[in-house]
Structure formats: structure tokens, C-alpha cells
Amino acid sequence: MFDKGAHDRDYIDSTVVIARASGGMVRDKTTGEMRMGGDQKEHHTVSSFRNSMMYFNPVVIIAGDQNPRMPSKVPHAYCVLDYFKGTHIWSEKSGGYIMHRCRFEKFNATKPSWWQAQGTEDSVTLGALAKPFKQSCKHCGTVSEQVYLQGWMCLQPACESFWKLPPLSSDAEGLEPDKKSLEYDPRFLKQKTRWPIDDSIYPLTSDSASLSNQSVLGEDCSLAYWRGIMCPYCGRCNSRLHWTAWKCENKGCSFFKKVPHAIIPPTSLRDPYFPLSTQYTLSKDTHLLYVGLHVSFAHNYRINKYTIPGIDGFVVHMIANQTVIEEPGGADDMFVALQETDIGLRRRALKSGVLKGDNYTRHFLVNYGMPYKFIAATDSVSFEGAVRPVTDTRSRLNWPAKYILAQHQGKPVREIEADWKAKEFNEVLALGYFEDQKISYHDDGESGLGSTIATLSLGAPGTMRLRMKARHHSGISSKGLYNDNPPMPGCDKYDAPYQAHLKEVAKDLGFTAARNAPDAISMMLGHGDVVIMHGAAIQKYYEHAVEHEGKLRFALTCRYIDPDSLPDKDKPTYKVRPNSGNYDGAAVGRG
Ligand SMILES: [Zn+2]
Ligand SMILES: [Zn+2]
Ligand SMILES: [Zn+2]
């Protein structure tokens, strides 16, 4: 993909594209000019370019409408040019750094190039000129083609004559070229590279919307099905934004296609090597030694309770057994019900992004009850008329949250009942994950949120990891700013006395860069498991991420959101009534 931020000597005509292979440009802090952001290591774009060349794999080039080198004005923000073959890759010096540049040649030269300026013809057909000039390097012996008109240069970065024009006299030193004046040698530029599969025609469109078109278990939740399609009516590339259907986002285009879904039966989630029973389920969680663990067993849940020294609060993983999973209205029933109803799960637009146009969350979500800060108020839905799995979630998560809080305070549940009721869960955030959709490290700490968050996990098994945030772990932010929060047990260099932390500059302590902390807790979330996080400090110092294996997973999270914390524009237009369900996990299985 090539868009704005073109480098000097980037080049596009109707048959040849030359661009740098990798390494983003950065704006120089002092001059404000764009320059290379550091020596280019063997970046994945370089290796995929090499693969294109060596395996004869043509690649598709996409150009943005802000690319200043395009020969004509292109019609859309991003446009697919065509298949190209990678033909040359070489090294150059740029601002003291070494960078890669590569040349692409149109794969099927018999096809017209739609991006060619109207009414013009290519002055030179590929291969019509003399062969490129070749020379071997006096120092390293490498034979290479002459790329620039100014003269042949050795383009091996390890060679002492790298990026130097030949000296004028034999005893003089070679000189680096004046970059501004460099021009491609037409013999190099317009050469034709033969491939055994030249001029084949490969399709440029994806057709995943019509993969099998049958109800194959989990197919509609697979990566191929949600990754994106080209609209069969208008040609626009669309992300899969709807939980149950494809829809073209082009205004005026009517393409809409429901995706057939075969219910994934809960029994298919069972792990034959880890059989589920009415006994307490075994644990697969792990944690670092500095984390405290207390295990208890109650009401069909194994309760792994984690505490972190220096942090006021806890994380609890309640691992469900067969009795709760299979009870009427339990995890199995909810998992099926969520597949039978469209509860409004959508991928939502994110505020910022590198690409033009809307960026979307990777996963699908919908918010019920009190609007959650990250979601536009208009996207929140009332509990009134909501389907069972949504209303049940609130009731089913109020119970374990109360139970765990009471246990933590060493009181019976009835003693905390009144306090809890005043700030009971008033929001359900439902997240739906298809294959390969994960949520990366983040925290759930927002002003106006209650200190207890409970999540019910349904479907494919997930892994939730918690780690200390890098700036607390390393005592320094990614921008190199010293973090003056007291160091936490478990962080890097915790043993350095706190006063010394405060007195010394970060550098003197050897805090040179923020590094990611190892995962302190890894919880294997099974179908029906509940996670409860309690305490603002956990969100302040720690972050968590969740990924899952399999085709379909739901996470239903309950919070208390203080209505007074919402700005007027975000206040709900409906009334958020108290929870009317009275689920009691202590009564489950009593007959
Ligand atoms: Zn050389
Ligand atoms: Zn369309
Ligand atoms: Zn979270």
C-alpha cells in the first residue's frame, strides 16, 4: 500500500512502481522534515518482497488518493491497482541510515492500466530499451545493475564503496551522490523481467461472502467470513460490521446478505481430556510468585482469588462445574440463546487511526443499560424488552459479585445486601468474538465506574492475562518520562529504595526505556466461568488482555456506572431500572 508520505524517488507509472520497502518515516523533531526512523532491519515487508521475487508470487498494490506520484487522480481513498511482480531490491543511504528500496513491474503487461492518465500512452514499453548496464564492484566483486543515471554505484551496505559514485580520477575517493539530483536510468526502469507464469490472470476480488453458502458449523464465525468482502454490486471493499450479515457501506448500495449460522452446540465446547463433572473443576491458571493466591470451593465454583502486594483489591476467577453450566438458564442455555438472537452486536467505529476512513473494533459489541463511556450514547440499549441472556446476565452476575465481596469482608451476604443494592450493576457490555478476534492489553478503569467489574465467559475457551503496565514496571514511560508513582512490588528494580527513586533522575537509575512486564496472572477462562475484578488500583497499575481459541466466544461484563458521571449528552433517554432477577447461585443444585 502506498499513500501520502512518499519518499524522494518513489515512482509510479502505468507499469512500474518503485518504493521503499519498509520502515516508517518519522518527522525530525528539529527540522520538521520527514526522514527515515532508523536503520531498517530485515522487516517483514522486505522478506515478503523477497518471497514475491523468489517464488514468482505476484502481489497486489493499493494506492491512496494522497499519493503525490500517482499519474492520474484516483477515484477512492484507497484503490487497488493490479498484480505486480517484485523484481529488484537494493539498499540505499538516507539521512545516515540504510534503507531498502524495491522495484515492482506490472504482472500482466497485456492488461490496460486503469490509473494511467487519460489520453496518454506509455512512451516506453517494458523491455523496449537496451538492457540495463551491469558492473561488478571493485571492492566486493558483487555484480549489479546501474539504477541511477548519475552513474553505477555498489549497493551492498557492507561494502566500503557502498552508495558512492565512481571517483573522477583513479586515486580519488568515490563521492556520495547528491540525492536531489538522482534520476532513474530508463534502461533499469523500463526493463522487462520474465516470469514463467507471465500474463496469467488472477482474480483481484475476494468472494468470502459466498464461501460455502451452507450452514457449516462455525464457518460464518471464521476469519475468512469476517475479514472483509468486495461488494458484488458496487465493488466497494467492506468490513464485516454486522454480527449476522454482510452489508455494503456504500450509501445507495443495497447489498445485504444474511450469513447462515448453524448453532454451535455447547457440548462441542467440552474438552475430552479435561472432562467436566459435577465435582469442582480443576484449574489451569498460572501466576508469578509475588502474586498471592487463595483457593476456595463453594456453590459449584472453584474460586481462585489473586491478590497483588501493594494493590488494594483482588482478581477472582470462578471456575464453573457441570452443575452450573447445565442448569436451566445457565451457560449452555445462554450460549445457545445468544446464537439464536441478534442482540445488536456490531463492530463499532474507533475515534482515531492511521488509515483514512473509519476504523473499527476488532470484536463485536453492544451496551445495555447505563451508557458506557467508550460507546456512543446512541448505541446503548435499554434493558426493557432486552432478550433473556442480557437481562439474566445482570442477575446472574450480581450474585457472585455480592458473594465474593462478602467473602472478602468476612461477612454473610445478607449484611452487605443493602449497600450492594444501592450500587448494583446497571450496565451490561456484551462482547462477541469470532475466530482470531482478541482484545489487547487495556484497563477498565474509568472515572464514574464502580470498583467491581464482573464478566461471564461463554463459548470457546479464552485466556485472560494480567500484567503490570510498562510505565509502572520500568518506572519510566515510553517517552522516557520518570514515573513518580511509588514503585510496586513485582516491578523492575523494586529493591532500589523509594527515596532514591525520587531523588535521582530516571537515567541514573538505569531506567532507560519502558519495557513490558511479564504476565503476572494467566487465567484460562472456560465456558461459564466468571471473573471479578475489584479495586481501582488494579486498573491503575495493571492491564489485561484476552484471546481465545475457537470460532465463537461471548464475554458479558457488568459494571456500576454512576449516572451523575455522564455528561448530559451521554445520559440515557430511557430509564435504567433496578435489577428484578433474583438469581441465587447458592441455591443451584439443591434440588
Ligand atoms: Zn561493493
Ligand atoms: Zn455495494
Ligand atoms: Zn477489560
Side-chain angles (χ1 to χ4, degrees):
M1 163 129 70
F2 303 114
D3 201 12
K4 65 180 170 193
H7 192 269
D8 293 342
R9 304 190 298 288
D10 279 359
Y11 177 91
I12 302 181
D13 68 17
S14 57
T15 48
V16 174
V17 172
I18 295 180
R20 66 178 188 278
S22 65
M25 309 278 286
V26 293
R27 196 168 289 283
D28 190 291
K29 285 194 190 86
T30 42
T31 66
E33 278 170 15
M34 298 303 283
R35 61 167 174 81
M36 294 304 304
D39 272 348
Q40 294 184 348
K41 307 243 156 50
E42 178 85 359
H43 194 267
H44 63 93
T45 54
V46 174
S47 33
S48 29
F49 183 87
R50 282 194 213 285
N51 282 348
S52 167
M53 283 200 315
M54 296 166 81
Y55 290 91
F56 305 113
N57 271 337
V59 293
V60 173
I61 291 186
I62 298 171
D65 61 358
Q66 284 167 297
N67 188 313
R69 306 281 196 272
M70 283 303 288
S72 67
K73 170 109 188 67
V74 299
H76 307 292
Y78 296 107
C79 293
V80 171
L81 298 188
D82 209 328
Y83 280 102
F84 282 75
K85 37 189 168 187
T87 64
H88 295 75
I89 181 161
W90 66 94
S91 301
E92 294 189 357
K93 222 176 190 177
S94 172
Y97 295 111
I98 290 168
M99 59 166 294
H100 299 290
R101 189 180 288 283
C102 39
R103 174 184 180 275
F104 298 88
E105 193 177 303
K106 190 148 163 256
F107 176 64
N108 187 328
T110 64
K111 259 171 88 181
S113 302
W114 64 262
W115 61 95
Q116 189 168 347
Q118 281 241 312
T120 64
E121 249 177 65
D122 240 358
S123 47
V124 182
T125 332
L126 289 183
L129 300 176
K131 287 220 156 63
F133 173 75
K134 275 188 189 175
Q135 189 175 313
S136 76
C137 173
K138 276 201 199 101
H139 282 105
C140 69
T142 312
V143 179
S144 60
E145 295 176 2
Q146 176 175 346
V147 176
Y148 294 106
L149 267 180
Q150 278 70 6
W152 181 92
M153 290 185 281
C154 179
L155 299 174
Q156 302 297 316
C159 175
E160 62 179 272
S161 20
F162 170 62
W163 200 241
K164 282 177 187 159
L165 287 167
L168 296 172
S169 65
S170 58
D171 54 349
E173 278 277 304
L175 283 180
E176 288 196 8
D178 169 17
K179 282 193 303 190
K180 296 274 176 232
S181 69
L182 282 176
E183 256 181 84
Y184 290 109
D185 184 327
R187 295 169 296 182
F188 172 80
L189 198 63
K190 301 303 270 184
Q191 64 184 301
K192 184 159 174 70
T193 313
R194 301 280 170 198
W195 274 14
I197 51 169
D198 266 352
D199 300 339
S200 311
I201 293 179
Y202 290 101
L204 277 164
T205 61
S206 73
D207 58 354
S208 45
S210 56
L211 278 178
S212 78
N213 221 4
Q214 297 164 27
S215 287
V216 175
L217 206 59
E219 186 188 36
D220 55 312
C221 312
S222 67
L223 182 61
Y225 249 83
W226 70 262
R227 225 179 183 180
I229 53 155
M230 198 197 76
C231 173
Y233 294 2
C234 73
R236 184 195 206 272
C237 293
N238 286 286
S239 298
R240 168 89 178 268
L241 302 182
H242 290 250
W243 184 249
T244 55
W246 288 107
K247 187 178 171 300
C248 180
E249 300 298 316
N250 237 357
K251 291 187 179 48
C253 179
S254 63
F255 176 68
F256 181 87
K257 187 178 174 186
K258 263 220 154 320
V259 179
H261 178 72
I263 301 283
I264 299 175
T267 44
S268 73
L269 304 168
R270 310 283 191 260
D271 177 351
Y273 294 102
F274 223 82
L276 196 66
S277 76
T278 56
Q279 308 303 300
Y280 286 108
T281 305
L282 304 184
S283 171
K284 300 181 198 170
D285 294 358
T286 56
H287 66 281
L288 294 183
L289 276 179
Y290 77 87
V291 174
L293 168 68
H294 178 262
V295 180
S296 58
F297 301 87
H299 307 305
N300 302 298
Y301 288 99
R302 152 198 282 276
I303 302 169
N304 291 346
K305 181 181 180 185
Y306 300 97
T307 46
I308 297 169
I311 299 261
D312 187 13
F314 58 80
V315 177
V316 159
H317 178 196
M318 299 173 71
I319 305 181
N321 75 358
Q322 189 177 11
T323 310
V324 262
I325 289 174
E326 294 184 354
E327 68 164 319
D332 278 1
D333 286 355
M334 290 175 89
F335 183 60
V336 171
L338 285 171
Q339 295 181 69
E340 288 168 340
T341 6
D342 179 5
I343 60 165
L345 288 165
R346 300 284 181 270
R347 287 170 70 195
R348 310 280 167 183
L350 291 166
K351 300 219 162 53
S352 61
V354 185
L355 298 177
K356 289 173 287 192
D358 282 334
N359 279 279
Y360 293 93
T361 55
R362 202 169 166 81
H363 52 276
F364 297 79
L365 61 143
V366 62
N367 191 70
Y368 281 85
M370 207 53 82
Y372 184 40
K373 184 174 174 164
F374 289 121
I375 295 161
T378 46
D379 285 341
S380 280
V381 190
S382 169
F383 284 122
E384 313 300 317
V387 293
R388 277 281 303 277
V390 172
T391 49
D392 280 5
T393 297
R394 198 153 65 126
S395 175
R396 297 186 73 92
L397 285 178
N398 264 313
W399 173 75
K402 264 189 302 192
Y403 180 84
I404 295 295
L405 279 181
Q407 190 197 51
H408 184 66
Q409 295 170 23
K411 293 176 183 167
V413 174
R414 67 187 138 74
E415 276 184 35
I416 68 157
E417 193 85 53
D419 283 350
W420 176 263
K421 194 71 192 163
K423 289 191 168 188
E424 67 168 6
F425 292 141
N426 60 2
E427 181 244 15
V428 174
L429 177 68
L431 304 183
Y433 298 93
F434 285 164
E435 181 179 44
D436 222 17
Q437 293 183 337
K438 56 186 173 191
I439 186 155
S440 47
Y441 287 98
H442 68 284
D443 68 62
D444 291 351
E446 287 301 322
S447 58
L449 288 188
S451 56
T452 308
I453 303 167
T455 302
L456 172 65
S457 202
L458 297 172
T463 306
M464 178 170 174
R465 300 173 213 277
L466 250 93
R467 69 179 185 194
M468 195 181 286
K469 291 177 185 172
R471 66 175 174 279
H472 295 294
H473 177 64
S474 306
I476 189 166
S477 76
S478 57
K479 293 195 178 74
L481 297 179
Y482 178 60
N483 177 1
D484 64 0
N485 283 296
M488 303 293 297
C491 75
D492 210 8
K493 300 196 186 351
Y494 175 64
D495 294 336
Y498 180 42
Q499 288 311 313
H501 276 254
L502 292 180
K503 277 182 200 144
E504 304 292 332
V505 230
K507 225 182 258 166
D508 292 346
L509 287 166
F511 294 161
T512 47
R515 271 165 293 126
N516 288 334
D519 292 316
I521 306 171
S522 294
M523 295 179 287
M524 307 299 149
L525 307 183
H527 172 61
D529 286 4
V530 173
V531 169
I532 294 173
M533 291 194 281
H534 176 78
I538 288 194
Q539 309 301 340
K540 180 179 175 190
Y541 288 98
Y542 278 72
E543 56 189 357
H544 56 274
V546 185
E547 57 187 44
H548 70 99
E549 277 168 44
K551 295 279 198 282
L552 183 61
R553 176 176 176 261
F554 297 95
L556 302 161
T557 297
C558 279
R559 296 175 176 82
Y560 169 74
I561 295 174
D562 181 358
D564 295 334
S565 74
L566 295 171
D568 280 343
K569 67 173 177 49
D570 289 347
K571 290 209 196 308
T573 51
Y574 45 83
K575 203 166 160 42
V576 179
R577 289 179 215 284
N579 167 44
S580 57
N582 53 353
Y583 178 78
D584 179 9
V588 175
R590 260 191 224 147

